[in-house]
Amino acid sequence: MTGFEFIFSDKPVNRLYRHVLFWAVLALHFVIQNLLIGGFNESLKQRSFSESVYYLLFFLPTYILDAYILLYILIPLYFIPRKYALFIVWIVVLIIIGCVASTLLGALYMHLAWHMPFYTITFNSNKYNLVVNGLFLPVTILVISGGIKITKSWYFEQKENERLAKEKINGELQLLKNQLHPRFLFYSLNTIKRNILLHPGLAANLILKLSDLLSYLLYESDRQWIALEKELEIIKSYAEFQKRSRRSKFDTDICVSGITSGKYTVPLLLLSFIESSFDFILKENQKHLALKLFITVGDDYLDYNMVFNRFLNKLNGVSKAKVHFFTIEKQLRLTYPNTYKFTININDQDMAININLPLHFANLEEDNIVKEKLYELL
């Protein structure tokens, strides 16, 4: 059993170990603390270890009862639903009951252990049991046990939020893939049909590329990570299809620099981005379209710079482009929070879009195993 499982696992055996350890530490602290007799002239007389254990037995049931009422009744019913006023009221009631119970149990202990008649036990002689055993220790135990419970609940809530965010990201990726299919298939099949009649040899090559693209879209894009080399290969194939699907002249230039092996990225994100870019620039019926894509692969980052000729009104060009790429930027924000850069620059002749995002490495499998174990514990 690992330390993480001991602290966070809800398996009965692990929970039993945690609770036994907690009460064992508390009991040891109580016994050591009370080797000196509490009460009037407490420093003049000492208890033996067995006498201190006997003293503990009077108060421990009250501490256990208070702690579990807090953990399994008050926190679930009032604190977690944010009913803080009722939570505080019941905490005060619990402490008052604990003070009364500890005072009575202290008197019972003095009667049995010290053979004092009940009528001789005064408030002054019993105030140690009221203040320390009835107020200070129970409040300390409630704070520690409640703090642990609330901290664990907050931790699990954060992990659940992360899981939901991850599912949302996957859902948006799936949506992007579904949006990509119809247009992609229409242009691709139309291109193949035209080349079958005009260039049969080229058509055969395009059919093979189409097969690879569809295999990627249907099967490989559902993975959590994809090799950067594969994603870049698909981007090049997609650009080739778009180029051949246009009857008007369309120049494309894709340049990749840097080491790509052993590096991974989120599948479909870059492909969805270039597909949206093509969709954006092809809406305008220009006679001569030109697109240049410069991809720089660093040690732990990817710089994706796209430049194409686009004659837009300067006043609304950037805002119009940002609206079109809103979904992509949102996907970047969810996938790479606070670690990506996305900029759009437009002048009289060109439009440049730049994305800079981190890359992952070949030890992803180990990371995924750790995350899977974490979600299993939840």
Side-chain angles (χ1 to χ4, degrees):
M1 177 173 58
T2 63
F4 181 87
E5 292 175 337
F6 178 79
I7 296 173
F8 292 103
S9 175
D10 278 338
K11 293 181 179 179
V13 174
N14 294 338
R15 293 177 63 187
L16 178 63
Y17 287 156
R18 284 200 304 268
H19 288 235
V20 169
L21 179 62
F22 176 83
W23 292 113
V25 171
L26 174 68
L28 181 62
H29 171 78
F30 185 97
V31 169
I32 294 174
Q33 174 184 304
N34 288 282
L35 290 175
L36 293 177
I37 292 180
F40 185 69
N41 292 329
E42 60 185 27
S43 62
L44 300 180
K45 186 178 179 181
Q46 290 186 337
R47 289 189 181 95
S48 65
F49 187 84
S50 59
E51 289 174 335
S52 187
V53 171
Y54 178 68
Y55 184 45
L56 166 68
L57 296 178
F58 283 84
F59 300 97
L60 185 60
T62 302
Y63 299 155
I64 293 176
L65 183 62
D66 286 351
Y68 288 116
I69 288 176
L70 173 69
L71 297 179
Y72 296 106
I73 297 179
L74 300 187
I75 290 180
L77 290 182
Y78 301 109
F79 187 86
I80 294 179
R82 302 180 186 274
K83 300 177 182 179
Y84 297 128
L86 288 174
F87 179 75
I88 293 173
V89 169
W90 280 110
I91 286 292
V92 172
V93 171
L94 193 63
I95 292 174
I96 293 174
I97 294 174
C99 288
V100 173
S102 295
T103 302
L104 296 176
L105 290 171
L108 179 62
Y109 169 79
M110 288 187 287
H111 174 72
L112 297 176
W114 297 352
H115 306 292
M116 293 177 60
F118 283 110
Y119 65 87
T120 63
I121 300 175
T122 63
F123 174 81
N124 189 53
S125 62
N126 197 25
K127 67 180 181 180
Y128 180 86
N129 292 315
L130 170 63
V131 175
V132 177
N133 296 332
L135 183 62
F136 176 75
L137 277 178
V139 170
T140 302
I141 293 170
L142 292 178
V143 170
I144 294 175
S145 59
I148 294 173
K149 177 74 172 181
I150 292 171
T151 301
K152 286 181 60 180
S153 298
W154 174 85
Y155 178 82
F156 287 138
E157 182 179 353
Q158 295 303 308
K159 291 302 176 184
E160 179 65 13
N161 290 338
E162 290 179 10
R163 186 184 66 82
L164 293 175
K166 180 181 177 182
E167 290 182 355
K168 183 178 180 181
I169 291 171
N170 291 336
E172 292 188 357
L173 281 172
Q174 185 65 35
L175 178 61
L176 288 172
K177 183 174 71 171
N178 292 338
Q179 292 174 347
L180 183 65
H181 283 175
R183 289 192 299 267
F184 170 75
L185 286 175
F186 173 78
Y187 286 125
S188 300
L189 294 175
N190 187 53
T191 300
I192 292 173
K193 176 183 177 182
R194 187 168 60 251
N195 281 279
I196 287 176
L197 299 176
L198 300 177
H199 308 287
L202 178 60
N205 186 38
L206 290 176
I207 291 173
L208 292 177
K209 287 187 176 183
L210 176 61
S211 176
D212 292 338
L213 284 167
L214 290 179
S215 176
Y216 175 77
L217 292 171
L218 295 174
Y219 304 111
E220 298 182 63
S221 61
D222 289 334
R223 299 176 183 175
Q224 183 177 6
W225 307 103
I226 196 73
L228 180 60
E229 293 173 311
K230 181 66 175 180
E231 183 82 1
L232 296 179
E233 177 186 340
I234 293 299
I235 287 176
K236 292 178 181 179
S237 297
Y238 182 81
E240 180 68 17
F241 263 108
Q242 287 287 5
K243 180 178 180 179
R244 296 195 175 275
S245 67
R246 306 300 298 176
R247 295 182 180 179
S248 58
K249 189 175 181 181
F250 187 9
D251 294 332
T252 60
D253 184 13
I254 300 178
C255 179
V256 179
S257 61
I259 300 174
T260 60
S261 62
K263 299 175 182 178
Y264 293 77
T265 187
V266 174
L268 204 64
L269 184 61
L270 296 179
L271 180 60
S272 298
F273 172 72
I274 195 172
E275 191 275 339
S276 296
S277 300
F278 273 102
D279 181 59
F280 183 61
I281 65 176
L282 293 176
K283 284 181 179 179
E284 191 170 290
N285 295 322
Q286 295 177 201
K287 294 182 179 180
H288 187 181
L289 294 173
L291 181 145
K292 295 181 180 180
L293 179 59
F294 302 95
I295 299 175
T296 302
V297 182
D299 292 335
D300 58 356
Y301 71 92
L302 175 71
D303 192 73
Y304 189 96
N305 192 39
M306 177 183 292
V307 180
F308 48 84
N309 60 332
R310 180 69 172 173
F311 300 94
L312 295 173
N313 188 324
K314 282 187 176 181
L315 297 178
N316 62 12
V318 175
S319 59
K320 182 180 179 181
K322 286 187 175 180
V323 170
H324 185 85
F325 292 103
F326 173 78
T327 303
I328 300 297
E329 186 175 8
K330 183 179 179 181
Q331 187 66 46
L332 285 168
R333 185 169 63 251
L334 293 173
T335 310
Y336 301 100
N338 303 320
T339 58
Y340 79 95
K341 293 180 181 179
F342 179 81
T343 57
I344 299 176
N345 297 302
I346 297 178
N347 56 34
D348 290 334
Q349 296 182 343
D350 298 322
M351 177 174 178
I353 301 177
N354 178 262
I355 296 178
N356 186 282
L357 48 85
L359 292 173
H360 299 272
F361 298 93
N363 58 356
L364 290 168
E365 294 297 330
E366 297 180 1
D367 294 340
N368 291 337
I369 291 174
V370 172
K371 291 180 181 178
E372 289 175 2
K373 288 186 176 180
L374 173 61
Y375 291 126
E376 287 177 2
L377 294 176
L378 298 178

